[in-house]
Amino acid sequence: MTGLRNPILQFLRIDLSHLPTRYPHVLVTPQYNTERLFLARALEHGVNIMRAHEVTGVQQDPTGVHVTVKTPAGTEQSLRADYVVGADGRNSCVRQSLGLPSST
């Protein structure tokens, strides 16, 4: 993955170059690079990626997670998983189901 090393945050005017670390910079990379790496890693581990599905409900219990999704055809489907990753933004259903705030 490539990125642009920047030791000074221009918008905040904070000089990071004097920090006691081997990495005194911010590494900026496009989100598509991160998504590509996450996808490759998930597929390596057998994760089933379901695109164009909308999560409409999440309920966790001691043995896993029950997830309700709306399919691309508009029907509702129930799924069972060991865990769920909410990567659909700050207003995600997963986030709301956990009672997390929508803004950070």
Side-chain angles (χ1 to χ4, degrees):
M1 175 172 32
T2 60
L4 172 65
R5 288 184 182 189
N6 190 346
I8 300 173
L9 297 176
Q10 299 294 332
F11 57 94
L12 294 177
R13 302 267 192 242
I14 299 173
D15 184 353
L16 304 176
S17 64
H18 302 291
L19 292 176
T21 176
R22 294 182 343 187
Y23 308 103
H25 56 265
V26 173
L27 179 62
V28 180
T29 187
Q31 183 172 338
Y32 61 80
N33 280 342
T34 306
E35 290 175 0
R36 180 178 49 83
L37 292 173
F38 284 164
L39 176 61
R41 185 72 171 176
L43 294 176
E44 284 175 13
H45 290 278
V47 172
N48 180 22
I49 306 292
M50 300 174 71
R51 299 201 183 270
H53 287 67
E54 177 187 353
V55 176
T56 58
V58 178
Q59 292 180 315
Q60 184 175 356
D61 61 45
T63 62
V65 185
H66 175 81
V67 182
T68 307
V69 299
K70 188 163 133 182
T71 68
T75 60
E76 199 163 87
Q77 182 179 3
S78 293
L79 306 167
R80 185 82 183 151
D82 293 334
Y83 58 91
V84 173
V85 176
D88 55 344
R90 66 182 199 157
N91 294 316
S92 78
C93 182
V94 173
R95 199 173 176 86
Q96 290 173 3
S97 295
L98 293 171
L100 298 172
S102 62
S103 62
T104 55

